[in-house]
Amino acid sequence: SKEKVMFLGSRTYVDSKIPMYHFFAKSSDLIPLCNVPRRMPSGGDLSIAYQRLLKPVKVKNIRRYLAEKESFFPNSIILAAEEKIDWIANKSNEFSEIGVIGLPSIFGSLLVIDGQHRLFGSEASDTDKPISVCIVEGLRKPAQASLFTTINQEQSKVSSDLMWDLYGELGTLKPPPKPGNKKEEKSAIQYIVSNTFKKINLNE
């Protein structure tokens, strides 16, 4: 039998027939298994190669973000497994099973549908922070491409105006940021800038 990489996680079925697996893992454990079906600048068959090219700037920004204390991504990267996944169930309820996931220790056994920048940014950060992972089993490339386009077309980017409004509502200066804590210092600066401009806008 082929060597397996094991993870503790859960399995849930969608519409009683599509198995999805959720677990946490280090980027260094995932990358040797993952292939990213990227389209070249010249184009190509969208049903086979649907991913965009990796942007080094986004990877760098994620690396910088994860280097900060208590910074993480709660949302899962989405992977596809075209072949059957080994599964040993321990406990279950009406929605999910908890158990052990066995993945083939082969490059390309998983394909990245969404989250390639988070995956490679995590690896570049060298922090070993766990990544939330969702694998959809038995998904062939045309269905992967369809899921990729659905995720990216339906996402609505939060406007910068709303973000700056939230910085003023959710931030605080009590207590003041700890010296040297860049995350708290940045939040305090955004809080001050947001509320300063709100006062300016209300001043005739």
Side-chain angles (χ1 to χ4, degrees), residues 6-19:
M6 313 303 286
F7 300 95
L8 295 177
S10 64
R11 181 172 70 174
T12 305
Y13 279 88
V14 178
D15 292 335
S16 301
K17 61 180 180 179
I18 302 174

Side-chain angles (χ1 to χ4, degrees), residues 163-174 184-199:
M163 288 303 302
W164 277 104
D165 189 37
L166 291 173
Y167 292 148
E169 296 294 328
L170 302 178
T172 183
L173 295 179
K174 297 178 182 180
E184 291 186 6
E185 290 173 353
K186 181 179 179 181
S187 177
I189 291 169
Q190 291 170 333
Y191 174 80
I192 293 169
V193 170
S194 173
N195 286 296
T196 299
F197 273 94
K198 286 179 184 179
K199 290 179 180 179

Side-chain angles (χ1 to χ4, degrees), residues 19-23 77 79-81 85 103 110 133-137:
M20 294 196 308
Y21 300 82
H22 292 85
F23 60 97
I77 65 170
L79 307 176
I85 292 174
L103 303 174
L110 299 175
V133 180
C134 173
I135 299 179
V136 185
E137 183 183 339

Side-chain angles (χ1 to χ4, degrees), residues 43 60 62 130 136 160 162:
K60 184 178 180 180
I62 289 171
V136 185
S160 57
L162 175 57

Side-chain angles (χ1 to χ4, degrees), residues 35-186:
N35 180 31
V36 184
R38 296 192 184 102
R39 300 184 76 202
M40 294 297 102
S42 58
D45 185 350
L46 183 62
S47 67
I48 297 175
Y50 48 83
Q51 272 282 8
R52 295 163 291 196
L53 295 178
L54 195 69
K55 295 180 180 179
V57 172
K58 290 189 71 172
V59 172
K60 184 178 180 180
N61 289 341
I62 289 171
R63 181 189 67 190
R64 187 183 300 118
Y65 167 74
L66 289 175
E68 298 175 2
K69 191 176 181 180
E70 298 178 355
S71 296
F72 63 97
F73 292 105
N75 52 324
S76 298
I77 65 170
I78 312 298
L79 307 176
E82 295 183 336
E83 305 301 328
K84 187 171 177 58
I85 292 174
D86 284 358
W87 172 250
I88 303 172
N90 291 329
K91 292 186 177 181
S92 64
N93 62 17
E94 60 179 312
F95 299 112
S96 301
E97 299 172 320
I98 298 173
V100 180
I101 301 163
L103 303 174
S105 183
I106 300 171
F107 172 74
S109 59
L110 299 175
L111 296 116
V112 180
I113 295 177
D114 187 64
Q116 61 167 329
H117 289 95
R118 277 172 282 148
L119 177 60
F120 289 98
S122 296
E123 181 69 6
S125 72
D126 196 31
T127 61
D128 277 345
K129 291 182 179 179
I131 298 171
S132 178
V133 180
C134 173
I135 299 179
V136 185
E137 183 183 339
L139 211 59
R140 300 298 175 183
K141 285 191 174 64
Q144 295 168 28
S146 176
L147 182 56
F148 168 81
T149 54
T150 298
I151 290 170
N152 287 278
Q153 286 175 358
E154 297 302 325
Q155 285 179 343
S156 297
K157 187 177 180 181
V158 178
S159 72
S160 57
D161 287 344
L162 175 57
M163 288 303 302
W164 277 104
D165 189 37
L166 291 173
Y167 292 148
E169 296 294 328
L170 302 178
T172 183
L173 295 179
K174 297 178 182 180
K178 297 182 183 70
N181 188 317
K182 293 183 179 180
K183 185 176 182 179
E184 291 186 6
E185 290 173 353
K186 181 179 179 181

